[in-house]
Amino acid sequence: MLKLYTYFRSSAAFRVRIALNLKGLDYEAVPVHLLRGGGEQHGGRYDSVNPQHLVPTLEDEGLTLGQSLAIIEYLDERHPTPSLLPREPSARARVRELALSVACDIHPLNNTRVLGYLAKTLSLDEAIRNEWARHWIALGFAAIDRRLAANSNDGPYCFGAAPTLADCCLIPQVFNAHRVQLPLEPYSNIRRVHDHCMQQEAFQRAAPGVQGDAE
């Protein structure tokens, strides 16, 4: 069985949980608490699994793989139905563009490592850290919302009538936005996609609050 090292509130792990659910794949969830005791990801046991000390990590038949987008594309190639990437090259590129906008431009600036550095090394309080996160999420969401506006007649997801890698990345970032109290009223297209996705079982079962390690 697939094994996923995960943390309930990690948006990167959330992406992979969505993909696994969309594909109907059973997996064993192994919680790695990113805060308890200074972070279980830094311990010797997990260090041997992922030397980056990040979640998620997927284990599958001797393969150990980190980085959420690499994991999702691996799953998409091993289990191609339903596909999370369109067949046509330009459409695939558009899906990857949106996914990378979240995974490379927004998320790294407000993940646990960065916020921990702001707190412990720069001594910034929670209000300032949340303002930092809101600033970068808002900047990214403004651009994504404009992208989604062009697709609004194509279907309820980011790109058409079926979920893709883009939806796997966008929905967890919306949860992060809620956590730092970013008002979402300006982003009508993001809200439209989010509301539809969260009516689907695959997204509901991947949500942070229903994970076994949720607090």
Side-chain angles (χ1 to χ4, degrees), residues 1 5 13 24 27-28 34 37 46 87 91 97-98 125 129 136 138 156-157 185 187-188 199 210:
M1 178 181 289
Y5 294 87
Y27 66 95
E28 176 189 356
L34 300 186
Y46 191 66
R87 293 178 61 87
E97 176 192 33
L98 194 150
D125 64 25
R129 298 196 305 272
W136 296 112
Y157 294 98
E185 286 77 9
Y187 316 113
S188 59
Q199 294 175 28
V210 299

Side-chain angles (χ1 to χ4, degrees), residues 36-84:
R36 183 183 298 135
E40 293 177 354
Q41 71 274 25
H42 303 303
R45 176 175 174 272
Y46 191 66
D47 175 73
S48 65
V49 174
N50 187 332
Q52 283 191 293
H53 299 177
L54 299 172
V55 293
T57 301
L58 181 77
E59 290 184 348
D60 180 29
E61 298 181 353
L63 172 70
T64 301
L65 186 63
Q67 293 296 331
S68 61
L69 268 64
I71 293 171
I72 294 172
E73 293 215 29
Y74 166 77
L75 292 171
D76 209 40
E77 292 174 0
R78 281 292 306 273
H79 308 277
T81 304
S83 178
L84 298 179

Side-chain angles (χ1 to χ4, degrees), residues 94-145:
R94 291 287 301 278
V95 168
R96 285 190 173 114
E97 176 192 33
L98 194 150
L100 291 168
S101 293
V102 173
C104 296
D105 294 336
I106 301 175
H107 173 250
L109 290 165
N110 57 91
N111 68 10
T112 300
R113 290 196 301 176
V114 169
L115 296 179
Y117 181 83
L118 295 177
K120 296 176 183 177
T121 305
L122 300 185
S123 301
L124 300 180
D125 64 25
E126 184 178 11
I128 296 175
R129 298 196 305 272
N130 285 344
E131 180 55 36
W132 162 278
R134 286 193 294 268
H135 170 79
W136 296 112
I137 297 172
L139 195 64
F141 273 13
I144 289 173
D145 202 71

Side-chain angles (χ1 to χ4, degrees), residues 98 102 106 137-149 152 156-158 166-167 169-175 177-178 182-198:
L98 194 150
V102 173
I106 301 175
I137 297 172
L139 195 64
F141 273 13
I144 289 173
D145 202 71
R146 290 177 62 185
R147 287 292 196 198
L148 293 178
S152 60
Y157 294 98
C158 288
D167 302 280
C169 289
L170 180 61
I171 301 313
Q173 192 59 57
V174 174
F175 271 71
H178 283 305
L182 173 70
L184 296 180
E185 286 77 9
Y187 316 113
S188 59
N189 294 290
I190 289 175
R191 288 188 285 109
R192 169 181 57 81
V193 172
H194 171 266
D195 291 349
H196 176 76
C197 286
M198 290 311 300

